[in-house]
Short mmCIF file of all heavy atoms in Angstrom, two decimals:
data_model
loop_
_atom_site.label_atom_id
_atom_site.label_comp_id
_atom_site.label_asym_id
_atom_site.label_seq_id
_atom_site.Cartn_x
_atom_site.Cartn_y
_atom_site.Cartn_z
N ALA A 17 -63.31 213.24 -95.97
CA ALA A 17 -64.72 213.30 -95.56
C ALA A 17 -65.60 212.27 -96.33
O ALA A 17 -66.58 211.79 -95.78
CB ALA A 17 -65.20 214.75 -95.76
N GLU A 36 -65.80 189.67 -83.80
CA GLU A 36 -67.11 189.12 -83.45
C GLU A 36 -67.34 187.70 -83.79
O GLU A 36 -67.91 186.87 -83.01
CB GLU A 36 -68.20 190.00 -84.26
CG GLU A 36 -68.41 191.38 -83.73
CD GLU A 36 -69.47 192.07 -84.50
OE1 GLU A 36 -69.86 191.66 -85.65
OE2 GLU A 36 -69.93 193.11 -83.99
N ARG A 52 -65.36 178.74 -92.07
CA ARG A 52 -64.84 178.94 -93.40
C ARG A 52 -64.94 180.48 -93.75
O ARG A 52 -64.03 181.02 -94.37
CB ARG A 52 -65.71 178.15 -94.41
CG ARG A 52 -65.24 178.26 -95.82
CD ARG A 52 -66.10 177.29 -96.71
NE ARG A 52 -65.63 177.32 -98.07
CZ ARG A 52 -66.17 178.16 -98.99
NH1 ARG A 52 -67.13 178.95 -98.70
NH2 ARG A 52 -65.72 178.10 -100.22
N MET A 57 -62.23 185.83 -94.28
CA MET A 57 -62.04 187.23 -93.84
C MET A 57 -60.63 187.53 -93.40
O MET A 57 -60.01 188.57 -93.70
CB MET A 57 -62.97 187.56 -92.69
CG MET A 57 -64.39 187.81 -93.14
SD MET A 57 -65.37 188.42 -91.81
CE MET A 57 -66.22 186.97 -91.31
N VAL A 58 -60.00 186.52 -92.70
CA VAL A 58 -58.61 186.71 -92.20
C VAL A 58 -57.69 186.78 -93.42
O VAL A 58 -56.79 187.60 -93.49
CB VAL A 58 -58.24 185.54 -91.30
CG1 VAL A 58 -56.74 185.57 -91.02
CG2 VAL A 58 -59.04 185.74 -89.96
N LEU A 65 -53.52 194.08 -95.92
CA LEU A 65 -52.43 194.58 -95.17
C LEU A 65 -51.06 194.47 -95.93
O LEU A 65 -50.20 195.31 -95.82
CB LEU A 65 -52.28 193.93 -93.76
CG LEU A 65 -53.35 194.30 -92.76
CD1 LEU A 65 -53.33 193.39 -91.62
CD2 LEU A 65 -53.20 195.70 -92.35
#
Side-chain angles (χ1 to χ4, degrees):
E36 285 181 347
R52 184 174 182 268
M57 280 189 261
V58 170
L65 286 171

